[in-house]
Amino acid sequence: MTFAKTMNLKNISERIQELLHLRLTMRTLITNIKKLVQVETQAERKDKVFGHDMDTLPCIEKAFLIIEDGVIVDFGSMDLGTRQKALGDSADVLAASYDETIDATGKYVMPTYVDSHTHLVHAASREDEFVMRIKGMSYAEVAAAGGGILNSAKKMASISEDELFDLSVPKLEEAIKNGTGAIEIKSGYGLNTEAELKMLRVIRRLKELKRIPIKASFLAAHAYPLEYKENHQGYLDLIINEMLPRVADEGLADYIDAFCEQGFFSVEETEQVLEAGIKHGLIPKIHANQLHNSGGIQVGVKHNAISVDHLESLGEKEIKCLQNSNTLPVLLPGAAFFLAMNYQPARALIDANLPVVIASDYNPGSCPSSNMSFMMSLACTQLKMTPNEAINSVTINGAASLGMQKELGSICLGKKASLIITKAIPSLEYIPYHYAHDCVERVIV
């Protein structure tokens, strides 16, 4: 009796492994692609695209693409000899060789968007502040009146981890549906040890869903809690001596972040946070120069930050600083749009031969949208970027700003098959042109 049970369990285990193997070796063929976008060969692989080269977008017209084990294993023109070798002639052969075939006639296939700056995990929306700004209050005035980050922190304190996770899953799914295939998510609405850890644990649970790759940023240095308004060093000591060791011990974050801005964290205070994070193995990635020319770019570059984000306020000195670094400029036009602020000088950065990145800044206060197609529209209409530049900024350069350029951001053999299949549209430029319209038919992640 015991032997029979053991054999049954063994058979069940073997069957599970067999089914898992079948899933892992699933083969997908996409044919008749109107244009395969952002292609590169192994010999031409690049980590990022700089300056005026961003206006070049390698494509293949009337293409095919093959996915195996979740990886791109072949692609090319339907009109070339490689088609004969890869696809064969017979429909019966196609049906037998691939688990799924997709006819993409009239449609574009491109890498998914990489959104490298979000505050996706938050407890509640802040439309009351939206109304306050309509009536004439500035973002800084709203914050001074108890709104802004402190408002989100108050709401974060009253929600459980499970409730926060349940709120966050649909937000992540919405981002994926709109074409995002990798994302960064920050803490920063906790502002005390337990609430910050709660946010980071929710981000870890989102990672464990394995829907898309997710990077986590520890952003306790987002604003000073009211009880530390006159005791900045006390809060910095709390971050450095209590929060950071626990974050590191649990492996909850990839990046250390800080809001280097007048009225928030000074250059000197930001340095303390970044240096402490680096000691715990976290990579710097900071908010800089959103409201003022704050010195954030310089402190980010000094500490070899992977990116400095926002950059509504910058001049020639800051651009030269970025030119002499490996730090990427990440622009967040959605926040400038929603707050009616000056837009980032993308053209000056491109003219300086820098690799510009566009991200959403999805958050409840200054950009309640994760729609990266709309961010591209803003990049084109307000930052005066071309559609090709905008696409490069949210694919290969976006991947580089999360250190994921080896696996995402382009159509390349061996990279993850993280793809957008558009609806039948007249041109690639139609995506940013037809703003607020959903051009994404299917996302493969």
Side-chain angles (χ1 to χ4, degrees), residues 177-197:
K177 177 178 69 87
N178 288 328
T180 294
I183 199 166
E184 179 260 17
I185 308 174
K186 304 176 189 297
S187 69
Y189 291 139
L191 307 187
N192 64 58
T193 302
E194 292 309 316
E196 286 291 314
L197 291 174

Side-chain angles (χ1 to χ4, degrees), residues 3-14:
F3 179 75
K5 285 183 177 179
T6 303
M7 288 298 291
N8 286 338
L9 288 172
K10 181 181 178 182
N11 291 341
I12 291 168
S13 177
E14 288 175 348

Side-chain angles (χ1 to χ4, degrees), residues 161-195:
E161 181 181 315
D162 286 342
E163 290 172 322
L164 186 61
F165 175 74
D166 290 342
L167 283 175
S168 300
V169 171
K171 295 170 187 171
L172 178 63
E173 293 298 329
E174 181 180 22
I176 296 170
K177 177 178 69 87
N178 288 328
T180 294
I183 199 166
E184 179 260 17
I185 308 174
K186 304 176 189 297
S187 69
Y189 291 139
L191 307 187
N192 64 58
T193 302
E194 292 309 316

